[in-house]
Amino acid sequence: MQFDTASPIWVQLVAEFSRRIVVGDWAAGARVAGVRELAVDLGVNPNTIQRALAELERQGLARSERTAGRFVTSDEDRINALRAELAREAADDFVSRARGFGMQRTQARALIDERWDQHDHDYDQTETGRA
């Protein structure tokens, strides 16, 4: 994982861990790797990992069990809400950038439709082994 200097590393880790939950890399109800293991994998201080995981708990995305470790929430509604929130942020970013390029709404919608179809096409080819 590449970190930038624009925001604190623990904030970037919260974003990355949230992404992992939404895409299922960290499945609902699954045990999260230990702080030290994550710190080694990501090349950061364990205290930074601990702070990011504590934030996930504060947001209701993870829970700690004293003797068993830390787990991803099993609350699918919470995960779906996070998914919608992340998609909304991406959409806001797209709208802002498209407007910055001087695009009209109809052009931006057409571009999204085009790219959506292309992703579906690429996905279909990958699934059938034609990629």
Side-chain angles (χ1 to χ4, degrees), residues 27-67:
R31 186 177 180 282
V32 176
V35 169
R36 288 186 185 134
E37 182 180 346
L38 287 170
V40 169
D41 286 348
L42 296 166
V44 299
N45 187 301
N47 292 332
T48 306
I49 296 290
Q50 183 64 36
R51 185 169 184 184
L53 292 173
E55 179 61 18
L56 286 183
E57 288 183 21
R58 192 191 69 72
Q59 294 180 10
L61 296 168
R63 69 180 190 290
S64 289
E65 294 183 14
R66 183 173 292 269
T67 58

Side-chain angles (χ1 to χ4, degrees), residues 69-87:
R70 189 173 274 116
F71 295 84
V72 174
T73 183
S74 297
D75 184 349
E76 292 287 345
D77 289 340
R78 178 65 188 101
I79 293 171
N80 286 332
L82 174 63
R83 181 175 292 114
E85 179 183 324
L86 295 177

Side-chain angles (χ1 to χ4, degrees), residues 16 28 51 103 110 119 122:
E16 171 60 16
R51 185 169 184 184
M103 293 183 83
H119 280 263
D122 293 346

